[in-house]
Amino acid sequence: MSFAGQTVVTGNPAQIDAITHINGPAMVLAGPGSGKTFVISGRIKFLIEQAGVSPDSILVITFTKAAALEMQHRFFKETSRQYPEVHFGTFHSLFYHMLCLSKPGYHPNLLTSRDKNKIIKECLLKIIKSHKDEIRQKEDYAALSADDYAGILSEIARIKNDNCSPSECNRDVPYCDFFEEIYNSYIQSCSDLGFIDFEDMILECYRMLVGNPDILAKWQKSFRYVLIDEYQDINRLQESVIRLLVRQHRNIFVVGDDDQSIYGFRGSRPEIMQEFREVYEDTKLITLGINYRSGSEIIKNSGLIISQNKVRFDKSQESASDDNHGLCKGFVYDNAKSETKAIADNIEADGDYDNTAVLYRTNLESEMIALELSSRGIPYVSSSAAISIYEDPCVKTILSYLKYAVNGHKRADFFAIMNCPLRYIKRDAVRHENVIERDLLDYYRSNPSMRETVSKLFRQLALVERMRSALSLKYIMNEMGVLKFLLKDKSKSDTDRLNDIFDKLMQDAFAYPDASEFLQKADEDIVRAQKERQNRKGKSNKGVKIMTMHASKGLEFDTVYLPSLCEGSIPNRKSVMPHQIEEERRMLYVGMTRAKKRLYLSYIKGDEDNPRMPSRFLRPIMDLFK
């Protein structure tokens, strides 16, 4: 297509429609692999070279510095760096720029992560002290971990981004009953110290524009054409500032995909994207329906899954090539061990390591595949360190019960378990290297209560000796009270983390019924993890990519594996509300749509003692698993 007799604009009809849009609001629904960067870069060039728009009146906003640099680099390359005046930046850099230029001498002290943690800890200490009697009466108030501090800070940021009251905090936030007091104390402490965070900066910018019509008019005149990438990731506060900036000229052009909105913890909501046409009634809606990345089978099956969400635009995609059908297959495995081996076998046989990714819901789930690939000499890249669950102190305590039972009743193992849970057994009662019941009964011969405690413990240990690995772990954790003891006084985030670890521990135990073999596997995993951490120092970014679905957003690979698609994993057990379930489904959709040629999905069925259920999200495509 040509415009005003000038340069030819290339692309498919929908892309050309988006690129050649000039004035007024427009929303481009850009699904995976649909060429959104091509459209944004093309439109900037079109506005300058064919619509006569001044380069310095164009503002392009992204959500990360890396994305802004990538977009700028692509535009400069396509235009031979002729238009350096075009403004590229993130929301944070934009608002900082506006504040500094509008307020002479304005140089805010931005909070670092260390500052935030120090302030929130001091605030919590003060509030806990003032409510110590009330807190002592409630069992769910436990010692706080680093994850809890991070969770509270994240909720403070969400409240600011949503521009709502701290009384509307999520109920799963630590110390939620006191959150409003924590929030106000944190805000006051930051103010007293002269610090602001990024959310404060956005709010300050909003208030400046609302309260100063002249300043607002200046910026409206400066940025007459506003383009926003990944619009599905915007939050309420950011959207409020943008609405002010474009209110006069209304030349706002947003590109995004509500089906890839997976940053709810930052305040993004797919509803904000859906409300765009209500805010800008004459919006031009353009759907990029051609996928240049994935084969038709991958597109079809990922589309079947995401179509189950209720809060979304009704849209579909088709492959750009009739020849690219792609491969989409489902597999069912008895346990995590067989699943990991099958994936590693397939990766090894294929040999295309650099173009392969294994995506999980959480980093914890990725440990087994990392160690398996390492043992085969297959290069891989992982965002998380190689850490074995068997290095966790709580797991070590549980396994000490097994070690005592099957490895000769050793004193070191007995010391690790004798008071977990608390039994008040003294170390002096253990007289020999091999611990036997008779010695302890003799030590407590004048204490009937302790003799009964000792006898009960050894009766339980005798049962453990005769059980298979998984059954013995269940008995140790539940019937012997070890799980309750280990989780006592743990924070909510630590409890959730440990429950995930214990689930993984049980999966391994079912794969190794013999206790001796199971313990040997545990020891080997620890050694392998330690070696892997040492070996990976200074390694390149070549090899199989192991990452979470979150981290994979924006990337693409020839081959993608999505293992362990079970209930409790995805959707995660902590996601219970409808909007949380829909975000979990969007996360699976993001993972599936990273695949260009081959997509392998799998879940674990378990056995009679430990049955696992496939993720509810797989229902529309269960034919793949037959």
Side-chain angles (χ1 to χ4, degrees), residues 22-282:
I22 302 177
N23 294 313
M27 172 183 280
V28 179
L29 300 179
S34 61
K36 66 181 182 65
T37 306
F38 169 80
V39 165
I40 294 173
S41 181
R43 181 171 186 257
I44 302 168
K45 183 179 179 182
F46 180 87
L47 287 174
I48 297 168
E49 296 184 348
Q50 302 192 36
V53 173
S54 175
D56 66 358
S57 68
I58 299 173
L59 171 64
V60 185
I61 307 174
T62 65
F63 281 84
T64 67
K65 184 177 180 180
L69 291 172
E70 181 185 351
M71 186 78 71
Q72 186 181 46
H73 176 74
R74 177 162 184 166
F75 173 70
F76 283 170
K77 184 177 180 181
E78 291 178 359
T79 59
S80 302
R81 308 181 74 88
Q82 293 183 71
Y83 311 110
E85 308 99 306
V86 176
H87 304 277
F88 290 88
T90 64
F91 278 99
H92 293 148
S93 66
L94 168 66
F95 299 144
Y96 181 81
H97 177 75
M98 291 170 64
L99 284 166
C100 288
L101 292 182
S102 301
K103 294 184 171 185
Y106 179 83
H107 295 291
N109 293 316
L110 287 172
L111 281 164
T112 64
S113 296
R114 182 179 293 181
D115 295 330
K116 290 181 181 181
N117 283 315
K118 182 179 179 181
I119 293 171
I120 199 66
K121 285 178 182 178
E122 291 174 352
C123 293
L124 278 165
L125 188 65
K126 180 174 64 177
I127 289 165
I128 290 171
K129 189 175 180 180
S130 65
H131 293 281
K132 60 181 179 182
D133 293 335
E134 185 179 352
I135 289 171
R136 193 178 292 123
Q137 296 171 8
K138 297 192 176 186
E139 292 183 358
D140 55 340
Y141 289 130
L144 286 164
S145 69
D147 286 343
D148 288 314
Y149 292 124
I152 293 171
L153 288 169
S154 178
E155 184 64 3
I156 289 173
R158 187 194 68 80
I159 292 293
K160 292 179 180 181
N161 285 327
D162 282 351
N163 205 11
C164 61
S165 167
S167 62
E168 300 175 55
C169 76
N170 290 323
R171 297 304 298 172
D172 59 354
V173 176
Y175 287 80
C176 60
D177 291 337
F178 308 102
F179 181 79
E180 193 166 356
E181 193 173 345
I182 294 169
Y183 179 91
N184 291 329
S185 177
Y186 177 81
I187 297 300
Q188 186 60 54
S189 295
C190 290
S191 177
D192 292 344
L193 294 168
F195 283 122
I196 68 168
D197 56 23
F198 284 123
E199 290 75 29
D200 294 325
M201 190 167 63
I202 300 172
L203 186 58
E204 197 169 332
C205 190
Y206 174 77
R207 288 169 176 164
M208 177 187 74
L209 297 177
V210 169
N212 298 273
D214 291 342
I215 294 177
L216 174 60
K218 170 195 167 185
W219 290 111
Q220 287 174 337
K221 186 178 179 181
S222 295
F223 302 134
R224 297 191 59 81
Y225 290 85
V226 177
L227 297 84
I228 305 177
D229 187 22
E230 301 284 8
Y231 190 72
Q232 77 277 353
D233 295 335
I234 200 168
N235 61 48
R236 293 286 181 192
L237 191 53
Q238 291 166 339
E239 191 274 333
S240 297
V241 179
I242 294 300
R243 195 185 302 190
L244 289 172
L245 279 178
V246 304
R247 187 170 63 190
Q248 195 68 28
H249 53 71
R250 304 179 78 254
N251 291 326
I252 178 171
F253 182 91
V254 301
V255 180
D257 182 8
D258 54 321
D259 289 334
Q260 297 187 69
S261 177
I262 58 172
Y263 294 117
F265 60 91
R266 295 181 188 168
S268 65
R269 304 281 186 276
E271 291 87 350
I272 299 176
M273 196 165 179
Q274 292 201 320
E275 293 163 6
F276 187 86
R277 287 187 294 176
E278 297 173 16
V279 176
Y280 308 99
E281 293 179 359
D282 55 338

Side-chain angles (χ1 to χ4, degrees), residues 547-565:
M547 62 182 70
T548 63
M549 298 176 194
H550 253 128
S552 74
K553 189 168 179 285
L555 304 176
E556 61 182 28
F557 309 92
D558 285 349
T559 305
V560 170
Y561 294 87
L562 290 171
S564 304
L565 300 178

Side-chain angles (χ1 to χ4, degrees), residues 315-545:
K315 55 188 178 298
S316 60
Q317 281 195 310
E318 61 183 49
S319 177
S321 171
D322 294 335
D323 298 327
N324 183 15
H325 298 293
L327 178 66
C328 190
K329 298 184 70 174
F331 298 90
V332 184
Y333 298 101
D334 291 334
N335 51 53
K337 178 185 176 184
S338 58
E339 180 183 55
T340 302
K341 182 180 182 302
I343 291 173
D345 286 345
N346 214 16
I347 291 174
E348 192 168 29
D350 183 48
D352 188 15
Y353 304 145
D354 292 347
N355 295 306
T356 298
V358 188
L359 310 180
Y360 291 90
R361 174 62 182 85
T362 65
N363 278 319
L364 179 64
E365 298 167 294
S366 68
E367 171 219 334
M368 190 177 285
I369 189 66
L371 295 177
E372 182 65 26
L373 294 181
S374 175
S375 70
R376 299 178 183 221
I378 297 174
Y380 75 88
V381 180
S382 177
S383 56
S384 61
I387 297 175
S388 170
I389 62 168
Y390 299 102
E391 295 176 279
D392 184 89
C394 292
V395 173
K396 286 184 176 181
T397 298
I398 293 169
L399 293 192
S400 290
Y401 273 92
L402 267 189
K403 287 181 178 180
Y404 175 83
V406 303
N407 287 348
H409 304 173
K410 293 179 180 177
R411 178 163 52 186
D413 295 325
F414 190 79
F415 281 157
I417 66 174
M418 65 183 189
N419 285 311
C420 177
L422 194 60
R423 300 183 181 94
Y424 299 100
I425 298 175
K426 294 181 179 179
R427 293 174 71 92
D428 291 346
V430 184
R431 298 170 178 171
H432 302 102
E433 178 60 30
N434 292 326
V435 182
I436 57 176
E437 180 181 6
R438 186 174 62 249
D439 286 346
L440 274 77
L441 290 175
D442 182 60
Y443 182 86
Y444 289 111
R445 57 184 175 274
S446 301
N447 189 332
S449 176
M450 283 303 300
R451 285 174 64 86
E452 175 54 34
T453 297
V454 168
S455 295
K456 179 181 178 181
L457 172 60
F458 278 89
R459 286 196 302 271
Q460 292 173 324
L461 290 172
L463 284 174
V464 170
E465 285 188 48
R466 298 194 292 271
M467 295 176 181
R468 290 177 298 167
S469 300
L471 193 57
S472 65
L473 289 186
K474 280 187 175 181
Y475 184 78
I476 291 165
M477 289 193 286
N478 299 322
E479 300 303 321
M480 297 184 73
V482 174
L483 184 61
K484 183 179 180 181
F485 180 80
L486 291 175
L487 295 179
K488 183 182 179 183
D489 295 332
K490 287 286 190 295
S491 67
K492 184 180 183 303
S493 62
D494 275 347
T495 299
D496 290 339
R497 181 184 63 82
L498 285 171
N499 280 327
D500 287 340
I501 288 176
F502 295 149
D503 283 349
K504 177 74 168 55
L505 183 66
M506 291 303 300
Q507 290 178 37
D508 285 357
F510 278 106
Y512 292 86
D514 182 81
S516 296
E517 292 180 4
F518 176 54
L519 289 171
Q520 183 180 349
K521 179 258 191 309
D523 290 339
E524 289 173 353
D525 271 14
I526 292 174
V527 172
R528 287 162 67 186
Q530 291 170 343
K531 286 182 178 178
E532 187 61 14
R533 287 197 294 272
Q534 186 64 33
N535 292 339
R536 295 212 60 76
K537 290 180 180 179
K539 284 287 183 74
S540 71
N541 289 326
K542 297 288 186 179
V544 178
K545 309 302 184 293

